[in-house]
mmCIF file of all heavy atoms in Angstrom:
data_model
loop_
_atom_site.group_PDB
_atom_site.id
_atom_site.type_symbol
_atom_site.label_atom_id
_atom_site.label_comp_id
_atom_site.label_asym_id
_atom_site.label_seq_id
_atom_site.Cartn_x
_atom_site.Cartn_y
_atom_site.Cartn_z
ATOM 1 N N SER A 1 -197.064 -21.470 -154.680
ATOM 2 C CA SER A 1 -198.426 -21.595 -154.171
ATOM 3 C C SER A 1 -198.434 -21.321 -152.681
ATOM 4 O O SER A 1 -197.422 -21.496 -151.996
ATOM 5 C CB SER A 1 -198.986 -22.989 -154.461
ATOM 6 O OG SER A 1 -198.257 -23.969 -153.744
ATOM 7 N N TYR A 2 -199.597 -20.898 -152.187
ATOM 8 C CA TYR A 2 -199.763 -20.580 -150.773
ATOM 9 C C TYR A 2 -201.126 -21.077 -150.309
ATOM 10 O O TYR A 2 -202.111 -20.987 -151.037
ATOM 11 C CB TYR A 2 -199.682 -19.074 -150.533
ATOM 12 C CG TYR A 2 -198.384 -18.441 -150.949
ATOM 13 C CD1 TYR A 2 -198.220 -17.908 -152.229
ATOM 14 C CD2 TYR A 2 -197.305 -18.377 -150.070
ATOM 15 C CE1 TYR A 2 -197.026 -17.335 -152.614
ATOM 16 C CE2 TYR A 2 -196.106 -17.794 -150.447
ATOM 17 C CZ TYR A 2 -195.975 -17.273 -151.718
ATOM 18 O OH TYR A 2 -194.786 -16.703 -152.095
ATOM 19 N N VAL A 3 -201.168 -21.543 -149.085
ATOM 20 C CA VAL A 3 -202.452 -21.870 -148.483
ATOM 21 C C VAL A 3 -203.138 -20.548 -148.120
ATOM 22 O O VAL A 3 -202.474 -19.531 -147.883
ATOM 23 C CB VAL A 3 -202.245 -22.758 -147.239
ATOM 24 C CG1 VAL A 3 -201.588 -21.995 -146.114
ATOM 25 C CG2 VAL A 3 -203.527 -23.407 -146.801
ATOM 26 N N ASP A 4 -204.451 -20.547 -148.104
ATOM 27 C CA ASP A 4 -205.195 -19.309 -147.902
ATOM 28 C C ASP A 4 -204.815 -18.583 -146.607
ATOM 29 O O ASP A 4 -204.785 -17.351 -146.558
ATOM 30 C CB ASP A 4 -206.702 -19.597 -147.896
ATOM 31 C CG ASP A 4 -207.234 -19.867 -149.286
ATOM 32 O OD1 ASP A 4 -206.519 -19.590 -150.278
ATOM 33 O OD2 ASP A 4 -208.363 -20.368 -149.394
ATOM 34 N N SER A 5 -204.516 -19.334 -145.552
ATOM 35 C CA SER A 5 -204.268 -18.722 -144.249
ATOM 36 C C SER A 5 -202.997 -17.874 -144.215
ATOM 37 O O SER A 5 -202.817 -17.066 -143.297
ATOM 38 C CB SER A 5 -204.206 -19.795 -143.164
ATOM 39 O OG SER A 5 -203.163 -20.714 -143.432
ATOM 40 N N VAL A 6 -202.115 -18.042 -145.194
ATOM 41 C CA VAL A 6 -200.865 -17.268 -145.188
ATOM 42 C C VAL A 6 -200.717 -16.366 -146.413
ATOM 43 O O VAL A 6 -199.736 -15.615 -146.508
ATOM 44 C CB VAL A 6 -199.619 -18.184 -145.063
ATOM 45 C CG1 VAL A 6 -199.755 -19.089 -143.846
ATOM 46 C CG2 VAL A 6 -199.397 -18.991 -146.332
ATOM 47 N N LYS A 7 -201.657 -16.440 -147.336
ATOM 48 C CA LYS A 7 -201.577 -15.588 -148.531
ATOM 49 C C LYS A 7 -201.539 -14.118 -148.130
ATOM 50 O O LYS A 7 -202.296 -13.666 -147.289
ATOM 51 C CB LYS A 7 -202.789 -15.841 -149.432
ATOM 52 C CG LYS A 7 -202.656 -17.057 -150.319
ATOM 53 C CD LYS A 7 -203.875 -17.212 -151.215
ATOM 54 C CE LYS A 7 -203.771 -18.458 -152.064
ATOM 55 N NZ LYS A 7 -204.979 -18.672 -152.888
ATOM 56 N N GLY A 8 -200.634 -13.392 -148.762
ATOM 57 C CA GLY A 8 -200.493 -11.971 -148.460
ATOM 58 C C GLY A 8 -199.612 -11.676 -147.268
ATOM 59 O O GLY A 8 -199.247 -10.521 -147.036
ATOM 60 N N ARG A 9 -199.275 -12.706 -146.490
ATOM 61 C CA ARG A 9 -198.403 -12.510 -145.318
ATOM 62 C C ARG A 9 -197.068 -13.231 -145.470
ATOM 63 O O ARG A 9 -196.052 -12.755 -144.983
ATOM 64 C CB ARG A 9 -199.106 -13.020 -144.056
ATOM 65 C CG ARG A 9 -200.398 -12.328 -143.736
ATOM 66 C CD ARG A 9 -200.910 -12.706 -142.350
ATOM 67 N NE ARG A 9 -201.168 -14.133 -142.216
ATOM 68 C CZ ARG A 9 -200.599 -14.919 -141.283
ATOM 69 N NH1 ARG A 9 -199.731 -14.407 -140.433
ATOM 70 N NH2 ARG A 9 -200.914 -16.187 -141.202
ATOM 71 N N PHE A 10 -197.078 -14.388 -146.111
ATOM 72 C CA PHE A 10 -195.865 -15.185 -146.291
ATOM 73 C C PHE A 10 -195.436 -15.133 -147.753
ATOM 74 O O PHE A 10 -196.266 -15.064 -148.660
ATOM 75 C CB PHE A 10 -196.111 -16.643 -145.911
ATOM 76 C CG PHE A 10 -196.315 -16.898 -144.434
ATOM 77 C CD1 PHE A 10 -196.518 -15.865 -143.528
ATOM 78 C CD2 PHE A 10 -196.311 -18.205 -143.947
ATOM 79 C CE1 PHE A 10 -196.720 -16.112 -142.181
ATOM 80 C CE2 PHE A 10 -196.498 -18.469 -142.605
ATOM 81 C CZ PHE A 10 -196.706 -17.420 -141.726
ATOM 82 N N SER A 11 -194.120 -15.205 -147.949
ATOM 83 C CA SER A 11 -193.583 -15.198 -149.304
ATOM 84 C C SER A 11 -192.433 -16.190 -149.392
ATOM 85 O O SER A 11 -191.507 -16.152 -148.577
ATOM 86 C CB SER A 11 -193.094 -13.797 -149.664
ATOM 87 O OG SER A 11 -192.518 -13.791 -150.954
ATOM 88 N N ILE A 12 -192.520 -17.079 -150.382
ATOM 89 C CA ILE A 12 -191.478 -18.091 -150.569
ATOM 90 C C ILE A 12 -190.570 -17.669 -151.714
ATOM 91 O O ILE A 12 -191.013 -17.084 -152.702
ATOM 92 C CB ILE A 12 -192.117 -19.478 -150.834
ATOM 93 C CG1 ILE A 12 -191.090 -20.585 -150.721
ATOM 94 C CG2 ILE A 12 -192.807 -19.511 -152.197
ATOM 95 C CD1 ILE A 12 -191.703 -21.993 -150.719
ATOM 96 N N SER A 13 -189.289 -17.957 -151.561
ATOM 97 C CA SER A 13 -188.325 -17.657 -152.614
ATOM 98 C C SER A 13 -187.180 -18.654 -152.528
ATOM 99 O O SER A 13 -187.047 -19.378 -151.537
ATOM 100 C CB SER A 13 -187.800 -16.222 -152.484
ATOM 101 O OG SER A 13 -187.118 -16.050 -151.254
ATOM 102 N N ARG A 14 -186.369 -18.684 -153.565
ATOM 103 C CA ARG A 14 -185.232 -19.604 -153.547
ATOM 104 C C ARG A 14 -184.050 -18.972 -154.249
ATOM 105 O O ARG A 14 -184.201 -18.171 -155.168
ATOM 106 C CB ARG A 14 -185.601 -20.933 -154.202
ATOM 107 C CG ARG A 14 -185.909 -20.884 -155.682
ATOM 108 C CD ARG A 14 -186.513 -22.224 -156.156
ATOM 109 N NE ARG A 14 -185.554 -23.306 -156.015
ATOM 110 C CZ ARG A 14 -185.912 -24.597 -155.873
ATOM 111 N NH1 ARG A 14 -187.187 -24.929 -155.863
ATOM 112 N NH2 ARG A 14 -184.985 -25.529 -155.762
ATOM 113 N N ASP A 15 -182.876 -19.357 -153.799
ATOM 114 C CA ASP A 15 -181.630 -18.961 -154.432
ATOM 115 C C ASP A 15 -180.857 -20.255 -154.676
ATOM 116 O O ASP A 15 -180.188 -20.769 -153.774
ATOM 117 C CB ASP A 15 -180.850 -18.008 -153.526
ATOM 118 C CG ASP A 15 -179.597 -17.463 -154.198
ATOM 119 O OD1 ASP A 15 -179.134 -18.079 -155.189
ATOM 120 O OD2 ASP A 15 -179.075 -16.450 -153.728
ATOM 121 N N ASN A 16 -180.970 -20.768 -155.873
ATOM 122 C CA ASN A 16 -180.336 -22.054 -156.166
ATOM 123 C C ASN A 16 -178.817 -21.965 -156.112
ATOM 124 O O ASN A 16 -178.142 -22.959 -155.844
ATOM 125 C CB ASN A 16 -180.798 -22.574 -157.525
ATOM 126 C CG ASN A 16 -182.239 -23.070 -157.496
ATOM 127 O OD1 ASN A 16 -182.767 -23.413 -156.440
ATOM 128 N ND2 ASN A 16 -182.881 -23.091 -158.650
ATOM 129 N N THR A 17 -178.251 -20.787 -156.331
ATOM 130 C CA THR A 17 -176.796 -20.645 -156.262
ATOM 131 C C THR A 17 -176.304 -20.798 -154.823
ATOM 132 O O THR A 17 -175.164 -21.192 -154.588
ATOM 133 C CB THR A 17 -176.347 -19.292 -156.811
ATOM 134 O OG1 THR A 17 -176.878 -18.246 -155.990
ATOM 135 C CG2 THR A 17 -176.828 -19.092 -158.239
ATOM 136 N N LYS A 18 -177.178 -20.463 -153.873
ATOM 137 C CA LYS A 18 -176.837 -20.628 -152.459
ATOM 138 C C LYS A 18 -177.469 -21.894 -151.871
ATOM 139 O O LYS A 18 -177.342 -22.147 -150.667
ATOM 140 C CB LYS A 18 -177.298 -19.409 -151.656
ATOM 141 C CG LYS A 18 -176.585 -18.123 -152.035
ATOM 142 C CD LYS A 18 -177.055 -16.956 -151.175
ATOM 143 C CE LYS A 18 -176.302 -15.681 -151.536
ATOM 144 N NZ LYS A 18 -176.755 -14.518 -150.724
ATOM 145 N N ALA A 19 -178.179 -22.628 -152.719
ATOM 146 C CA ALA A 19 -178.841 -23.867 -152.281
ATOM 147 C C ALA A 19 -179.726 -23.611 -151.066
ATOM 148 O O ALA A 19 -179.742 -24.390 -150.100
ATOM 149 C CB ALA A 19 -177.812 -24.952 -151.972
ATOM 150 N N THR A 20 -180.482 -22.545 -151.128
ATOM 151 C CA THR A 20 -181.308 -22.151 -149.983
ATOM 152 C C THR A 20 -182.684 -21.682 -150.457
ATOM 153 O O THR A 20 -182.792 -20.993 -151.477
ATOM 154 C CB THR A 20 -180.628 -21.042 -149.171
ATOM 155 O OG1 THR A 20 -179.339 -21.491 -148.750
ATOM 156 C CG2 THR A 20 -181.448 -20.679 -147.935
ATOM 157 N N VAL A 21 -183.691 -22.070 -149.695
ATOM 158 C CA VAL A 21 -185.051 -21.599 -149.912
ATOM 159 C C VAL A 21 -185.470 -20.828 -148.675
ATOM 160 O O VAL A 21 -185.121 -21.202 -147.550
ATOM 161 C CB VAL A 21 -186.005 -22.778 -150.176
ATOM 162 C CG1 VAL A 21 -187.451 -22.306 -150.260
ATOM 163 C CG2 VAL A 21 -185.607 -23.494 -151.453
ATOM 164 N N TYR A 22 -186.209 -19.751 -148.897
ATOM 165 C CA TYR A 22 -186.590 -18.867 -147.809
ATOM 166 C C TYR A 22 -188.117 -18.816 -147.676
ATOM 167 O O TYR A 22 -188.855 -18.963 -148.651
ATOM 168 C CB TYR A 22 -186.073 -17.451 -148.069
ATOM 169 C CG TYR A 22 -184.592 -17.382 -148.300
ATOM 170 C CD1 TYR A 22 -184.070 -17.352 -149.596
ATOM 171 C CD2 TYR A 22 -183.701 -17.355 -147.236
ATOM 172 C CE1 TYR A 22 -182.710 -17.299 -149.819
ATOM 173 C CE2 TYR A 22 -182.331 -17.298 -147.447
ATOM 174 C CZ TYR A 22 -181.844 -17.263 -148.747
ATOM 175 O OH TYR A 22 -180.492 -17.216 -148.955
ATOM 176 N N LEU A 23 -188.554 -18.552 -146.459
ATOM 177 C CA LEU A 23 -189.955 -18.244 -146.211
ATOM 178 C C LEU A 23 -190.000 -16.968 -145.383
ATOM 179 O O LEU A 23 -189.665 -16.981 -144.192
ATOM 180 C CB LEU A 23 -190.662 -19.381 -145.477
ATOM 181 C CG LEU A 23 -192.172 -19.185 -145.306
ATOM 182 C CD1 LEU A 23 -192.875 -19.274 -146.677
ATOM 183 C CD2 LEU A 23 -192.765 -20.224 -144.350
ATOM 184 N N GLN A 24 -190.354 -15.883 -146.043
ATOM 185 C CA GLN A 24 -190.516 -14.599 -145.355
ATOM 186 C C GLN A 24 -191.913 -14.562 -144.756
ATOM 187 O O GLN A 24 -192.905 -14.712 -145.476
ATOM 188 C CB GLN A 24 -190.324 -13.450 -146.341
ATOM 189 C CG GLN A 24 -190.541 -12.079 -145.732
ATOM 190 C CD GLN A 24 -189.498 -11.710 -144.702
ATOM 191 O OE1 GLN A 24 -188.307 -12.001 -144.878
ATOM 192 N NE2 GLN A 24 -189.923 -11.071 -143.607
ATOM 193 N N MET A 25 -191.987 -14.346 -143.455
ATOM 194 C CA MET A 25 -193.265 -14.353 -142.752
ATOM 195 C C MET A 25 -193.483 -12.991 -142.112
ATOM 196 O O MET A 25 -192.709 -12.580 -141.229
ATOM 197 C CB MET A 25 -193.278 -15.452 -141.688
ATOM 198 C CG MET A 25 -192.936 -16.833 -142.229
ATOM 199 S SD MET A 25 -193.171 -18.143 -141.025
ATOM 200 C CE MET A 25 -191.965 -17.685 -139.778
ATOM 201 N N ASP A 26 -194.492 -12.297 -142.558
ATOM 202 C CA ASP A 26 -194.823 -10.968 -142.052
ATOM 203 C C ASP A 26 -196.181 -10.990 -141.378
ATOM 204 O O ASP A 26 -196.985 -11.897 -141.588
ATOM 205 C CB ASP A 26 -194.817 -9.962 -143.201
ATOM 206 C CG ASP A 26 -193.470 -9.824 -143.866
ATOM 207 O OD1 ASP A 26 -192.455 -9.827 -143.151
ATOM 208 O OD2 ASP A 26 -193.428 -9.706 -145.110
ATOM 209 N N ASN A 27 -196.438 -9.955 -140.568
ATOM 210 C CA ASN A 27 -197.715 -9.837 -139.863
ATOM 211 C C ASN A 27 -198.079 -11.153 -139.170
ATOM 212 O O ASN A 27 -199.193 -11.667 -139.320
ATOM 213 C CB ASN A 27 -198.819 -9.438 -140.844
ATOM 214 C CG ASN A 27 -200.095 -9.047 -140.141
ATOM 215 O OD1 ASN A 27 -200.088 -8.672 -138.964
ATOM 216 N ND2 ASN A 27 -201.209 -9.132 -140.854
ATOM 217 N N LEU A 28 -197.142 -11.662 -138.404
ATOM 218 C CA LEU A 28 -197.345 -12.950 -137.760
ATOM 219 C C LEU A 28 -198.437 -12.871 -136.710
ATOM 220 O O LEU A 28 -198.616 -11.847 -136.027
ATOM 221 C CB LEU A 28 -196.044 -13.441 -137.141
ATOM 222 C CG LEU A 28 -195.054 -14.031 -138.156
ATOM 223 C CD1 LEU A 28 -193.651 -14.066 -137.596
ATOM 224 C CD2 LEU A 28 -195.497 -15.413 -138.585
ATOM 225 N N LYS A 29 -199.164 -13.964 -136.577
ATOM 226 C CA LYS A 29 -200.272 -14.073 -135.639
ATOM 227 C C LYS A 29 -199.990 -15.169 -134.627
ATOM 228 O O LYS A 29 -199.173 -16.073 -134.880
ATOM 229 C CB LYS A 29 -201.555 -14.393 -136.398
ATOM 230 C CG LYS A 29 -201.894 -13.398 -137.496
ATOM 231 C CD LYS A 29 -203.133 -13.820 -138.260
ATOM 232 C CE LYS A 29 -203.454 -12.826 -139.371
ATOM 233 N NZ LYS A 29 -204.668 -13.214 -140.128
ATOM 234 N N VAL A 30 -200.669 -15.112 -133.505
ATOM 235 C CA VAL A 30 -200.477 -16.128 -132.469
ATOM 236 C C VAL A 30 -200.723 -17.521 -133.036
ATOM 237 O O VAL A 30 -200.007 -18.479 -132.716
ATOM 238 C CB VAL A 30 -201.406 -15.854 -131.275
ATOM 239 C CG1 VAL A 30 -201.367 -17.014 -130.290
ATOM 240 C CG2 VAL A 30 -201.030 -14.547 -130.599
ATOM 241 N N GLU A 31 -201.685 -17.622 -133.929
ATOM 242 C CA GLU A 31 -202.019 -18.941 -134.499
ATOM 243 C C GLU A 31 -200.970 -19.462 -135.486
ATOM 244 O O GLU A 31 -201.085 -20.579 -135.971
ATOM 245 C CB GLU A 31 -203.398 -18.907 -135.172
ATOM 246 C CG GLU A 31 -203.587 -17.782 -136.156
ATOM 247 C CD GLU A 31 -204.284 -16.576 -135.532
ATOM 248 O OE1 GLU A 31 -203.953 -16.220 -134.374
ATOM 249 O OE2 GLU A 31 -205.130 -15.974 -136.221
ATOM 250 N N ASP A 32 -199.951 -18.655 -135.771
ATOM 251 C CA ASP A 32 -198.846 -19.131 -136.611
ATOM 252 C C ASP A 32 -197.822 -19.920 -135.789
ATOM 253 O O ASP A 32 -196.875 -20.478 -136.352
ATOM 254 C CB ASP A 32 -198.141 -17.962 -137.289
ATOM 255 C CG ASP A 32 -199.013 -17.274 -138.317
ATOM 256 O OD1 ASP A 32 -199.721 -17.977 -139.066
ATOM 257 O OD2 ASP A 32 -198.979 -16.023 -138.377
ATOM 258 N N THR A 33 -197.992 -19.963 -134.488
ATOM 259 C CA THR A 33 -197.076 -20.692 -133.632
ATOM 260 C C THR A 33 -197.087 -22.172 -133.982
ATOM 261 O O THR A 33 -198.142 -22.812 -134.003
ATOM 262 C CB THR A 33 -197.456 -20.505 -132.151
ATOM 263 O OG1 THR A 33 -197.298 -19.130 -131.803
ATOM 264 C CG2 THR A 33 -196.590 -21.364 -131.247
ATOM 265 N N ALA A 34 -195.909 -22.707 -134.274
ATOM 266 C CA ALA A 34 -195.794 -24.110 -134.689
ATOM 267 C C ALA A 34 -194.323 -24.429 -134.940
ATOM 268 O O ALA A 34 -193.472 -23.539 -134.929
ATOM 269 C CB ALA A 34 -196.596 -24.365 -135.968
ATOM 270 N N VAL A 35 -194.052 -25.695 -135.167
ATOM 271 C CA VAL A 35 -192.759 -26.107 -135.706
ATOM 272 C C VAL A 35 -192.868 -26.073 -137.227
ATOM 273 O O VAL A 35 -193.818 -26.642 -137.792
ATOM 274 C CB VAL A 35 -192.356 -27.503 -135.220
ATOM 275 C CG1 VAL A 35 -191.018 -27.917 -135.841
ATOM 276 C CG2 VAL A 35 -192.266 -27.538 -133.694
ATOM 277 N N TYR A 36 -191.928 -25.406 -137.854
ATOM 278 C CA TYR A 36 -191.939 -25.232 -139.302
ATOM 279 C C TYR A 36 -190.891 -26.149 -139.934
ATOM 280 O O TYR A 36 -189.740 -26.205 -139.478
ATOM 281 C CB TYR A 36 -191.659 -23.775 -139.662
ATOM 282 C CG TYR A 36 -192.848 -22.880 -139.437
ATOM 283 C CD1 TYR A 36 -193.317 -22.626 -138.148
ATOM 284 C CD2 TYR A 36 -193.527 -22.291 -140.504
ATOM 285 C CE1 TYR A 36 -194.428 -21.825 -137.927
ATOM 286 C CE2 TYR A 36 -194.633 -21.485 -140.299
ATOM 287 C CZ TYR A 36 -195.076 -21.250 -139.012
ATOM 288 O OH TYR A 36 -196.177 -20.460 -138.796
ATOM 289 N N TYR A 37 -191.314 -26.835 -140.980
ATOM 290 C CA TYR A 37 -190.459 -27.782 -141.684
ATOM 291 C C TYR A 37 -190.366 -27.413 -143.158
ATOM 292 O O TYR A 37 -191.361 -26.975 -143.755
ATOM 293 C CB TYR A 37 -191.032 -29.196 -141.607
ATOM 294 C CG TYR A 37 -191.220 -29.748 -140.224
ATOM 295 C CD1 TYR A 37 -192.407 -29.543 -139.531
ATOM 296 C CD2 TYR A 37 -190.224 -30.502 -139.619
ATOM 297 C CE1 TYR A 37 -192.596 -30.057 -138.266
ATOM 298 C CE2 TYR A 37 -190.398 -31.028 -138.350
ATOM 299 C CZ TYR A 37 -191.588 -30.803 -137.675
ATOM 300 O OH TYR A 37 -191.762 -31.324 -136.419
ATOM 301 N N CYS A 38 -189.193 -27.617 -143.749
ATOM 302 C CA CYS A 38 -189.124 -27.581 -145.198
ATOM 303 C C CYS A 38 -188.968 -29.013 -145.700
ATOM 304 O O CYS A 38 -188.455 -29.890 -144.990
ATOM 305 C CB CYS A 38 -187.990 -26.699 -145.701
ATOM 306 S SG CYS A 38 -186.320 -27.197 -145.237
ATOM 307 N N ALA A 39 -189.439 -29.229 -146.901
ATOM 308 C CA ALA A 39 -189.410 -30.559 -147.501
ATOM 309 C C ALA A 39 -189.097 -30.427 -148.982
ATOM 310 O O ALA A 39 -189.424 -29.412 -149.609
ATOM 311 C CB ALA A 39 -190.742 -31.264 -147.293
#
């Protein structure tokens, strides 16, 4: 799922064999500036 503000720009994926989740962020905007957390 994605919040509307990032739909079409961000993509989430996971590789359970590497125990890692990714967030690909494209076409970044100034308003994307923030501290990003995974949970």
Side-chain angles (χ1 to χ4, degrees):
S1 65
Y2 300 92
V3 69
D4 285 347
S5 60
V6 306
K7 278 182 182 177
R9 299 190 299 123
F10 290 12
S11 177
I12 193 169
S13 62
R14 66 190 296 155
D15 185 341
N16 287 338
T17 64
K18 295 182 178 179
T20 303
V21 174
Y22 304 97
L23 186 68
Q24 177 67 40
M25 306 188 297
D26 298 320
N27 191 22
L28 282 161
K29 304 177 181 180
V30 172
E31 51 264 42
D32 292 319
T33 296
V35 178
Y36 284 67
Y37 301 89
C38 62

